[in-house]
Amino acid sequence: MPIHSIFALSHDDAEARSWLGFLRRHGYLALSALVIERVFWLEGAVDVEALLPLLANPLYQTTARQSMLDAVRGPVVEIAYRPAVTDPETPSILAAARALGQKLEFARLSRRYQFVGLDAAEARQAAARFLYNPAVERVREPEEAWISLRPSGEPDPVRSVTLVGLSDDDLAALSRERSWYAPLPQMKVIQAHEIERGRPHSDAEIEILAQSWSDHCYHTTWKSLGLLKQLSAATAAINHPLVVSSFEDNAGGMEFYDGWVITIKGETHNFPSSIAPFGGISTKHGGVIRDTLGFGKGAYPIGGTTVMGTMDPRLADENVPAGALHPRLIVSESIRGTSYYVNPMGIPMLHPVYRIHPGYAKCFALGHSIGLIPKRYALKETPQPGDLALVIGGETGRDGIHGATASSASMTGETLAKESAAVQIGHPITERNFATAIPVLRDAGLIRSITDLGAGGISSAAGEMGAEIGVDLDLDRVPLKDRSLTGWEILLSESQERMLIAVAPQNLARAESILDRYEVAHAVIGQFTGSNRFEASWRGAKIVDLEMGFLWGACPIEPTAISEPKRVAEPLALPEPASREEWLRAIHGVLRHYHCADQSAAGSRFDSTVQGRTVIGPYGGRNHRMPTNIAVSAPLRGKPYGVVTTLAFNPFYGEIDPAAMARMMVIEAITKAVVAGVDYREMVLCDNFYTPRMRPETAWDLKQMVEAIAKFSAEIGVPFISGKDSSSGTFESDGRRIDVPSTLAVMAMGRVPDVSRIVTKEFKRAGNRLVLLGRAEGDGLGGSVYADLRGKRGDCLFDGYDAPGIRVLWDMLLRLQREDRYLSGSAIAEGGVLLRLFEAGSGSGLGARIDLGGSILRPHLGDDIVRPRTDELLFGEFIGSVLIEVPPEPAFAAAGVPHLVLGEVTSEQEFTVIHHGAEIVRESWTNLEASWSETFREVLG
């Protein structure tokens, strides 16, 4: 077959500009320009000119049949997928060619990078460091000629692996060498099982056991500490009438209105995002979206988030730990990965959040998915013997192998090279097709059970789905994009965009007809049995034969040692600003802080209004950059019902007091929703934990966090219904260990009967009063961004509310909201009152005049006067308290709740602060917005 080539150059290539800036920041200062030429390789007797509109847009691209790069300008490095691997774009190109009547046999893509100013060795070095994943990609040499574009390669044979006679040291070494990362007790159980059954395990069997028993999949740490049971027990004790499903399915479900259920799930992909951010972040979104699609008999995704914790992207190169990617690359590539995946999926991105901490050498990469499903389909059925195992979606490749086991281990300086295959390659259009088809299959009654092929791939999905009855797989029927995969690799591959469905045999033809209609690839790869065994065959031989009881019941849960950590922290001692200049420096500094600065330069790259359901997205106000800190969707057409979500995540707090941080994140997430008008009694929660590699001190902190939120959740009556943990947040390099801070991200999800009643943040009218409702004294600066600007943390946090106290405040807010007693409101969080005032003023175009010399009224203590420090009142992060805007008359009253009238809304677009009768600050929004806008423009170049 003839092979044709088309070369394309973009007129104004933003990606090339971005990489140029990045490479120069990473030491390639001689690089004066970078040019990226895309190459399309086409095999078949086709009319190339007819295919051009599919491949390039003449409005911004120039195409030619020969390369347009001038070799004199600089060396060229061409990157392509390995011969055994199919490009993610290939299926789309083939389908489009068929639609045009062209007999295209196969297609491949490559990229040619021209490094102007570098020599050939430097160019190759830069490409190898940053531009490709050697597990699935390679440098294509200039003299290479294509014989055929079709994948080619020969797999390794299945091998037996005997553990008999190996010492403990030998077992541990073998586990590391094979990237099983199975702890010694697990290896010894597998060794004993081999002796008991009288034959060695195949490599496929050990691989299945290692991934199924990994901490990522089996939650060994949480089970050892009794945490999963404790959190589930708290939710069960609440017995919330709106909870439909909790901690059982791929996501949690809460009853909505009119016979519908809303779902929530958060998933981290910290390890792959740390070594290959673009692929890792794509995986994060694709995986958590499939958790929604795998809930019940198939929910539909209606919203998502992207949450990133990294080291400071402004770090000098020499301060980045050896073996770690520069945080600027992680951030910029994470933004590109989110845009690449969620925009084509047509899912609104509702909460883009970016945070920094020096412990995030192994980054925190979290994504949520919100879904919608009819209540009658919200619960799965168990597969029946004879049901068919139907895999749908993309083909299976080498990407993602050992993802589950690698994600359960700490990261070292060698990980970038060794575990690159654990990073998946995403293709959102494939997932978009079956996201559309699944509700059709569901509503036609054709799905018995459904789950996604995430960690552990086919082995995990089929093993879990068939755990109660057994499953028998024929791996020769699995569609492959890499012809060199051996049997165990087919089973464990975590290639993206695949789902597994249990279908009754009599329903197969109808299911296949619907899948064909929506252009979703599919294959029957086995059936569910009554054998209670996991069986798999490949190339005519049985390579897996494991008892389900052993697979899911024999994993040893070793006791975890617990020891209270000795924290070294000093009481916070910060001098209060003493002059107008010092006050202005402090205010501008807080607004420039990475956590408080305008992040819309990142978040606005993601569509937040697609699907036409979004009532309030991540940004609002007159400038369309004001963070709303809340997302509201109206998912039922023609109905006023709203789904409301908020998010709380603060790595600074976990460094000081993990248990207090955990409670504060619950309070912050709920308060953000309550101040907008959501009843906390109609809300649920999702948790995502991230801790260092498990040691006695880490176990103590994790236990304290979980116990704190389990107890607090039960006391306030708001249940956790979904969550995920990762205890692998340790990076080791050159004898240095870097631990992530104890991290808990909490998402709150609630419902409202009428979205038009939502209270937003921006000021509404000049002359209105500004009231701080709630406590505002004591330790408000511990862990604050104000302290961080001075390199301080402190030894304690605000932690100002117990369950009865915060419920009194929430009830007061809901009463005031029902009576239309406040017009705008926002919960105090990072940046304190200052940031709330700035965002509400900048977002409205109205100003604020604040008098910090007042006293806080404490109704239960008479007229006792409490005067917090001026800077603490302005910058203190009093989590749980709120800033509200109330009419000037009548005089504001909130019986039983501390409150302080701070000042008033003004018509001038400026911020004024009065202290003891003297004006200490007067600054225009224009000047403040200039500082607020600097940080992310610098980070993103």
Side-chain angles (χ1 to χ4, degrees):
M1 285 285 181
I3 295 177
H4 313 273
S5 56
I6 297 173
F7 297 78
L9 280 175
S10 297
H11 302 159
D12 183 19
D13 195 335
E15 183 183 353
R17 288 200 310 273
S18 177
W19 276 114
L20 172 64
F22 176 83
L23 291 169
R24 286 183 56 82
R25 287 192 295 271
H26 283 74
Y28 297 95
L29 299 179
L31 184 66
S32 59
L34 181 73
V35 184
I36 304 177
E37 185 176 55
R38 283 81 175 172
V39 190
F40 300 89
W41 304 93
L42 310 173
E43 183 173 1
V46 295
D47 180 351
V48 174
E49 296 299 321
L51 294 177
L52 273 180
L54 298 177
L55 308 175
N57 189 328
L59 292 178
Y60 65 87
Q61 289 178 306
T62 300
T63 58
R65 299 298 301 276
Q66 301 292 329
S67 174
M68 292 172 279
L69 299 180
D70 181 0
V72 176
R73 292 194 67 200
V76 174
V77 180
E78 183 173 348
I79 307 300
Y81 281 102
R82 292 186 175 278
V85 180
T86 300
D87 300 64
E89 296 85 356
T90 295
S92 299
I93 295 173
L94 294 176
R98 284 196 301 271
L100 291 175
Q102 296 292 314
K103 295 182 178 180
L104 184 61
E105 298 294 329
F106 213 76
R108 284 187 177 274
L109 287 76
S110 62
R111 288 185 168 214
R112 307 179 80 240
Y113 297 85
Q114 184 166 51
F115 299 82
V116 180
L118 301 186
D119 61 32
E122 291 171 322
R124 291 240 173 182
Q125 181 196 57
R129 285 182 66 191
F130 302 116
L131 297 177
Y132 69 98
N133 179 350
V136 291
E137 295 171 296
R138 67 189 179 95
V139 173
R140 185 175 180 274
E141 301 298 342
E143 64 276 7
E144 282 188 38
W146 289 107
I147 298 174
S148 173
L149 301 182
R150 289 187 173 277
S152 60
E154 188 63 28
D156 292 333
V158 173
R159 293 183 172 90
S160 294
V161 182
T162 181
L163 306 183
V164 174
L166 296 186
S167 68
D168 289 358
D169 289 344
D170 293 335
L171 290 172
L174 184 63
S175 180
R176 288 192 302 272
E177 177 188 327
R178 295 291 189 97
S179 295
W180 296 333
Y181 298 113
L184 180 60
Q186 293 182 11
M187 294 295 293
K188 296 183 77 168
V189 168
I190 299 171
Q191 184 184 53
H193 186 251
E194 177 186 342
I195 296 171
E196 178 185 337
R197 70 179 192 169
R199 70 166 177 86
H201 293 95
S202 68
D203 51 9
E205 290 173 327
I206 297 186
E207 291 281 355
I208 288 174
L209 292 169
Q211 71 82 19
S212 297
W213 294 355
S214 68
D215 195 42
H216 182 88
C217 293
Y218 207 76
H219 308 292
T220 52
T221 299
W222 274 55
K223 289 178 179 177
S224 171
L225 295 170
L227 303 180
L228 197 59
K229 186 179 295 185
Q230 190 168 5
L231 195 54
S232 298
T235 293
I238 294 170
N239 194 26
H240 201 291
L242 296 181
V243 172
V244 175
S245 177
S246 64
F247 298 113
E248 292 182 353
D249 208 334
N250 294 45
M254 168 188 171
E255 190 164 339
F256 193 49
Y257 301 101
D258 289 359
W260 289 85
V261 166
I262 45 178
T263 71
I264 186 170
K265 178 63 180 292
E267 184 80 44
T268 57
H269 279 71
N270 310 319
F271 169 76
S273 300
S274 296
I275 66 171
F278 178 78
I281 295 302
S282 298
T283 300
K284 173 182 83 174
H285 292 297
V288 78
I289 291 166
R290 291 195 306 278
D291 281 330
T292 293
L293 295 167
F295 175 87
K297 295 188 177 181
Y300 190 79
I302 61 171
T305 78
T306 186
V307 182
M308 293 298 300
T310 66
M311 301 178 83
D312 194 328
R314 296 160 293 186
L315 274 180
D317 282 4
E318 58 269 22
N319 293 330
V320 177
L325 292 179
H326 196 288
R328 187 190 293 263
L329 175 65
I330 295 176
V331 171
S332 61
E333 283 292 271
S334 75
I335 293 168
R336 189 168 73 93
T338 295
S339 176
Y340 163 81
Y341 210 95
V342 301
N343 288 359
M345 282 293 296
I347 298 173
M349 185 52 51
L350 303 176
H351 296 279
V353 175
Y354 298 85
R355 297 288 183 264
I356 55 174
H357 190 280
Y360 283 136
K362 185 176 181 181
C363 71
F364 180 59
L366 169 65
H368 294 88
S369 180
I370 309 300
L372 184 71
I373 187 172
K375 187 175 181 180
R376 64 185 180 276
Y377 297 125
L379 299 178
K380 287 178 166 60
E381 296 179 64
T382 299
Q384 300 299 305
D387 282 353
L388 302 175
L390 179 68
V391 68
I392 68 171
E395 296 176 323
T396 297
R398 190 169 300 280
D399 42 317
I401 291 174
H402 286 146
T405 53
S407 292
S408 301
S410 59
M411 182 176 168
T412 71
E414 299 175 354
T415 306
L416 281 172
K418 184 182 178 187
E419 298 299 352
S420 54
V423 180
Q424 298 93 321
I425 303 166
H427 190 232
I429 299 304
T430 300
E431 189 156 320
R432 181 71 180 87
N433 287 349
F434 66 66
T436 305
I438 285 172
V440 180
L441 293 168
R442 175 198 71 200
D443 294 346
L446 303 178
I447 296 176
R448 180 101 67 190
S449 185
I450 183 171
T451 194
D452 76 305
L453 271 65
I458 292 172
S459 72
S460 181
E464 291 177 6
M465 194 178 283
E468 296 182 17
I469 59 170
V471 66
D472 189 1
L473 303 176
D474 182 354
L475 302 183
D476 293 320
R477 303 177 71 177
V478 177
L480 301 180
K481 63 181 176 183
D482 187 335
R483 305 303 173 191
S484 69
L485 291 179
T486 192
W488 72 262
E489 292 173 321
I490 296 171
L491 280 165
L492 267 72
S493 168
E494 296 175 15
S495 290
Q496 290 287 280
E497 293 86 39
R498 300 176 301 157
M499 303 284 290
L500 187 69
I501 305 177
V503 179
Q506 64 270 23
N507 291 333
L508 178 63
R510 291 173 60 204
E512 290 182 324
S513 175
I514 290 171
L515 293 168
D516 289 340
R517 186 195 319 162
Y518 288 95
E519 298 183 339
V520 178
H522 52 86
V524 175
I525 64 168
Q527 67 177 4
F528 296 93
T529 67
S531 68
N532 292 316
R533 305 185 74 82
F534 189 122
E535 300 170 275
S537 300
W538 180 62
R539 296 197 165 190
K542 183 170 287 190
I543 65 169
V544 177
D545 187 3
L546 291 170
E547 309 92 330
M548 284 294 188
F550 179 74
L551 176 59
W552 298 116
C555 177
I557 302 298
E558 295 293 305
T560 299
I562 300 176
S563 174
E564 183 174 2
K566 294 178 174 58
R567 304 188 198 283
V568 179
E570 297 179 358
L572 197 60
L574 297 174
E576 192 171 18
S579 66
R580 179 186 293 263
E581 290 72 22
E582 288 184 4
W583 274 107
L584 283 175
R585 277 198 298 273
I587 290 170
H588 281 270
V590 168
L591 295 180
R592 288 192 189 98
H593 192 281
Y594 192 87
H595 293 190
C596 301
D598 177 16
Q599 298 187 355
S600 65
S604 61
R605 300 190 190 184
F606 320 132
D607 198 331
S608 62
T609 60
V610 66
Q611 297 188 12
R613 308 171 191 258
T614 306
V615 178
I616 297 175
Y619 307 110
R622 66 181 177 98
N623 54 13
H624 305 292
R625 292 191 292 156
M626 179 195 75
T628 62
N629 301 126
I630 188 169
V632 183
S633 300
L636 302 182
R637 306 300 184 192
K639 301 287 187 179
Y641 314 135
V643 179
V644 180
T645 55
T646 66
L647 183 73
F649 160 49
N650 191 319
F652 294 165
Y653 296 169
E655 185 180 334
I656 298 172
D657 186 339
M661 176 273 295
R663 284 189 300 273
M664 291 168 72
M665 294 303 94
V666 173
I667 290 172
E668 181 183 326
I670 296 175
T671 305
K672 285 176 177 176
V674 172
V675 73
V678 187
D679 192 327
Y680 64 93
R681 289 168 287 252
E682 298 190 19
M683 297 174 64
V684 294
L685 301 167
C686 175
D687 62 85
N688 284 93
F689 289 86
Y690 191 30
T691 58
R693 185 185 65 217
M694 202 50 54
R695 295 186 299 277
E697 295 80 8
T698 308
W700 173 279
D701 284 346
L702 179 59
K703 196 168 188 294
Q704 292 290 307
M705 287 192 289
V706 176
E707 288 177 348
I709 66 169
K711 181 174 183 290
F712 193 72
S713 167
E715 290 173 341
I716 61 176
V718 184
F720 283 90
I721 65 169
S722 182
K724 195 73 173 177
D725 66 288
S726 174
S727 297
S728 61
T730 295
F731 181 89
E732 295 175 299
S733 178
D734 292 343
R736 178 186 179 194
R737 189 188 79 208
I738 303 175
D739 287 336
V740 301
S742 294
T743 299
L744 172 62
V746 175
M747 173 167 270
M749 180 177 74
R751 66 178 196 175
V752 291
D754 187 352
V755 294
S756 68
R757 296 282 297 165
I758 292 291
V759 178
T760 55
K761 175 189 292 187
E762 66 273 19
F763 295 148
K764 300 302 188 292
R765 186 167 57 244
N768 285 339
R769 298 290 178 88
L770 296 172
V771 176
L772 181 62
L773 186 65
R775 289 190 57 198
E777 77 278 357
D779 305 319
L781 296 180
S784 67
V785 297
Y786 180 68
D788 185 62
L789 290 168
R790 290 151 180 79
K792 305 283 187 180
R793 283 286 186 268
D795 61 348
C796 56
L797 300 172
F798 170 60
D799 198 17
Y801 293 96
D802 58 12
I806 196 63
R807 288 183 65 149
V808 167
L809 177 57
W810 291 339
D811 287 336
M812 175 60 70
L813 280 169
L814 292 170
R815 194 193 82 190
L816 293 172
Q817 203 264 352
R818 285 194 299 271
E819 297 172 357
D820 296 321
R821 294 283 305 281
Y822 66 92
L823 294 87
S824 71
S826 57
I828 304 301
E830 290 158 311
V833 170
L834 169 72
L835 190 61
R836 310 286 87 72
L837 291 167
F838 168 76
E839 290 172 344
S842 175
S844 65
L846 297 170
R849 180 181 177 87
I850 304 303
D851 186 346
L852 295 182
S855 61
I856 296 178
L857 304 180
R858 306 185 69 183
H860 293 304
L861 301 177
D863 293 326
D864 186 20
I865 295 177
V866 179
R867 295 186 182 276
R869 279 178 40 167
T870 306
D871 57 348
E872 183 173 25
L873 184 56
L874 193 59
F875 303 121
E877 297 175 5
F878 304 112
I879 305 301
S881 301
V882 298
L883 176 72
I884 56 175
E885 174 190 0
V886 303
E889 299 295 340
F892 181 78
V897 179
H899 57 278
L900 169 66
V901 178
L902 285 173
E904 64 178 3
V905 180
T906 68
S907 58
E908 295 85 7
Q909 294 186 17
E910 61 185 20
F911 178 51
T912 304
V913 179
I914 307 297
H915 185 51
H916 296 309
E919 181 182 283
I920 59 173
V921 172
R922 180 189 290 268
E923 187 75 319
S924 70
W925 290 139
T926 300
N927 288 343
L928 294 174
E929 286 172 349
S931 293
W932 181 62
S933 303
E934 282 179 14
T935 303
F936 269 72
R937 289 179 181 173
E938 176 189 352
V939 167
L940 300 178

